[in-house]
Amino acid sequence: MKKKLLMTAMVAALGGVGTAQAVHVNSDGLGQVLIYPYYTVQNGFDSYINLVNTTNQVKAVKVRFLEGKNSQEVLDFNLYLSPNDEWSGAIVKTDTGAKLVSSDTSCIAPAQIPAAGQDFRNLKYATDSVSSLARTREGYVEVIEMGVVTDGASATAATHVNGVPADCALVRTNAKTGGRFNTAKATNGIALPSGGLYGFVTLINVNSGLKTTVDAIAVDNFYQGALVTDDLHFPPGDTNPSLEAVDTVGEIIDGATLVTYSSAKAIDNLSAVLTRAMIANDYSIDAGRQSKTDWVITFPTKRFYVNTVTPKPFTQVWDKTKSLSCDEISIVYYDREERRHLVTIDEDFSPKPDVVASKNSLCNEVNTLSIKPFASTATYSTLFGAEFTNASFTVEDSNFNAGWLNISFANTLPGTVNALPGSLVGLPVVGFAGLSNTNGTLSVGGVNVLSNYLGSSVHKGERLRTVP
């Protein structure tokens, strides 16, 4: 018993680094899977994606871009990272939707990103009531390591020489359907994923002089496999691997307690390590500095539930006729002097779909929740200008122009918690608050300077579990 308690304390002291056989969020920021909580090209913003391989291995990686309403894939490709390589690209707006641009030379299959960029696609949600290409303008990004390239010739081909990979054509030949990487695992030249990836997204609005950077959530020990030759490699054009490929139980640090979660449904184990009963963060909406606050609230595993007949832990299946799937939330906000206010259904919480007209709900997989100042009108301009993932509420008192708020989820994720039947309370959620101040042009020391600012703060959270 003492040894068990000592190990729990050691794990907690190490900031949540898990065992070799449990999926967990790595607080050191390195992992096999990265979840970038947001991208947007609305309201003058572009989104810059960076992905770094900190290891001395050649990595085969799936890069996937998902729109924000139902996490339908709008673009994916295979990326082969050199040792110590960094890949970068930008998501920008087009006349009809969005596209990825990149001049990075790291090997991509099926092909390098064209000089003019690669347009996002709406094929996966073409039968929804909201089906335009414009829906691709808001979403998020996931990266899944498929494995380590161990074949000598292929690794050499993917490795940069004077800034350029030696032979991307060979890599693409091996990556395609029927190519070496997709043959018998014992001889395909790809070994188990090993982690060591990190990433971040930078949101830039050039015209407004605004910029902020948000780290990707790093998930480690996502896939262990049975043999060292096991891998997750699939050819380009295949939507695998997905987050459902997780094959380890979940491990959570809850205060000083090490919690193990398991379920017969693989995706539940990943959802468990992301589940929070409550998230908390700041807001600032004072008129003097034209402050604005948008909360990004992303449910990165929601699609694996609501696109089936059993949406639990979520509430509703995806309704293609309304392009939504809603879950009730509770909001309490405070000013900086401890005054408290509970958001009621009479306030301006929008949009209010008719299926949950009497409830405050979030109805997308990415939700851009704008906090609006007292007495703001319908023409109020939000920070990120979300059109497809937007939600909002208006504070009821002019004294509440800055402070913090929390959002609670009453949903439950059933499973086995520390070897007993139980549940985790809440929903799998990631995200951040974006807070901006706009002072325009000010004179500083006789020099006119643009004095606009944008910062971001990752959501804090609270865990709650029930065990009989």
Side-chain angles (χ1 to χ4, degrees):
M1 184 65 177
K2 289 182 179 179
K3 287 183 178 180
K4 183 177 180 181
L5 291 173
L6 177 61
M7 180 58 69
T8 300
M10 288 174 63
V11 172
L14 289 171
V17 178
T19 65
Q21 298 298 325
V23 63
H24 63 279
V25 175
N26 189 337
S27 60
D28 291 329
L30 301 176
Q32 294 178 4
V33 170
L34 302 177
I35 300 170
Y36 299 72
Y38 197 52
Y39 78 76
T40 183
V41 297
Q42 306 281 32
N43 209 26
F45 280 91
D46 295 323
S47 298
Y48 294 78
I49 307 297
N50 285 68
L51 168 60
V52 178
N53 174 16
T54 68
T55 75
N56 61 0
Q57 302 167 321
V58 174
K59 300 278 190 175
V61 175
K62 176 70 77 175
V63 180
R64 176 172 290 117
F65 300 84
L66 304 121
E67 54 79 32
K69 290 192 71 65
N70 186 228
S71 294
Q72 292 302 312
E73 185 176 302
V74 296
L75 185 71
D76 87 17
F77 52 82
N78 290 7
L79 173 66
Y80 299 85
L81 294 170
S82 238
N84 310 306
D85 190 11
E86 179 167 8
W87 179 86
S88 63
I91 306 169
V92 301
K93 193 172 186 176
T94 68
D95 290 341
T96 56
K99 67 180 179 181
L100 176 69
V101 295
S102 177
S103 58
D104 198 291
T105 62
S106 297
C107 295
I108 291 176
Q112 298 301 110
I113 303 300
Q118 177 61 55
D119 288 334
F120 286 172
R121 301 169 176 177
N122 64 346
L123 300 175
K124 292 292 184 179
Y125 61 86
T127 58
D128 283 0
S129 61
V130 179
S131 58
S132 71
L133 278 168
R135 182 169 147 179
T136 68
R137 290 173 176 162
E138 302 157 38
Y140 68 106
V141 183
E142 67 183 30
V143 167
I144 302 175
E145 182 187 351
M146 297 186 291
V148 175
V149 179
T150 55
D151 171 60
S154 301
T156 298
T159 299
H160 288 65
V161 179
N162 295 324
V164 179
D167 190 355
C168 283
L170 174 62
V171 174
R172 282 192 278 271
T173 296
N174 290 339
K176 68 182 182 181
T177 302
R180 178 174 181 181
F181 295 161
N182 302 302
T183 57
K185 292 187 180 298
T187 58
N188 70 350
I190 303 283
L192 277 171
S194 64
L197 302 176
Y198 80 82
F200 56 92
V201 56
T202 303
L203 307 174
I204 299 179
N205 188 321
V206 173
N207 291 336
S208 298
L210 299 175
K211 172 184 176 181
T212 193
T213 295
V214 181
D215 281 347
I217 304 300
V219 176
D220 218 0
N221 293 336
F222 172 81
Y223 182 80
Q224 292 294 321
L227 302 171
V228 71
T229 52
D230 285 344
D231 63 77
L232 289 173
H233 195 283
F234 290 85
D238 195 314
T239 55
N240 288 307
S242 75
L243 296 181
E244 287 184 298
V246 59
D247 71 346
T248 56
V249 300
E251 191 171 79
I252 304 159
I253 302 298
D254 185 8
T257 304
L258 179 64
V259 178
T260 300
Y261 172 94
S262 63
S263 170
K265 191 174 181 179
I267 191 64
D268 288 353
N269 295 323
L270 177 58
S271 293
V273 304
L274 301 173
T275 292
R276 301 293 188 277
M278 181 273 285
I279 55 174
N281 218 324
D282 263 37
Y283 72 93
S284 179
I285 48 175
D286 62 287
R289 298 176 300 167
Q290 299 181 48
S291 300
K292 298 179 184 295
T293 299
D294 275 4
W295 275 32
V296 172
I297 303 168
T298 299
F299 303 119
T301 61
K302 182 176 178 179
R303 69 188 186 274
F304 300 107
Y305 301 97
V306 302
N307 293 332
T308 71
V309 295
T310 53
K312 195 175 184 67
F314 295 89
T315 307
Q316 298 178 339
V317 297
W318 177 250
D319 187 339
K320 297 174 76 70
T321 66
K322 295 183 175 69
S323 295
L324 54 78
S325 167
C326 300
D327 287 274
E328 182 182 349
I329 63 172
S330 299
I331 304 179
V332 179
Y333 59 88
Y334 301 79
D335 68 5
R336 290 177 176 168
E337 305 302 332
E338 302 178 27
R339 285 175 291 194
R340 175 184 183 274
H341 190 86
L342 172 67
V343 175
T344 68
I345 61 173
D346 297 320
E347 295 177 6
D348 177 25
F349 191 88
S350 64
K352 285 185 179 179
D354 56 359
V355 290
V356 286
S358 63
K359 304 292 184 181
N360 291 326
S361 303
L362 296 177
C363 297
N364 302 302
E365 311 225 352
V366 175
N367 301 273
T368 310
L369 177 63
S370 299
I371 295 89
K372 297 182 178 180
F374 175 72
S376 59
T377 67
T379 60
Y380 178 82
S381 176
T382 62
L383 174 57
F384 293 130
E387 178 182 355
F388 297 93
T389 63
N390 59 302
S392 69
F393 73 88
T394 302
V395 301
E396 242 185 3
D397 188 324
S398 59
N399 292 313
F400 287 84
N401 59 20
W404 70 282
L405 64 91
N406 66 58
I407 293 179
S408 299
F409 312 101
N411 310 59
T412 58
L413 178 69
T416 300
V417 182
N418 283 348
L420 293 173
S423 296
L424 301 178
V425 178
L427 287 174
V429 59
V430 299
F432 65 96
L435 302 93
S436 71
N437 301 318
T438 303
N439 299 305
T441 302
L442 300 179
S443 178
V444 179
V447 178
N448 289 335
V449 296
L450 186 63
S451 184
N452 298 338
Y453 306 96
L454 173 60
S456 57
S457 172
V458 67
H459 294 324
K460 291 70 184 169
E462 183 177 87
R463 298 182 185 273
L464 181 63
R465 62 188 188 275
T466 62
V467 178

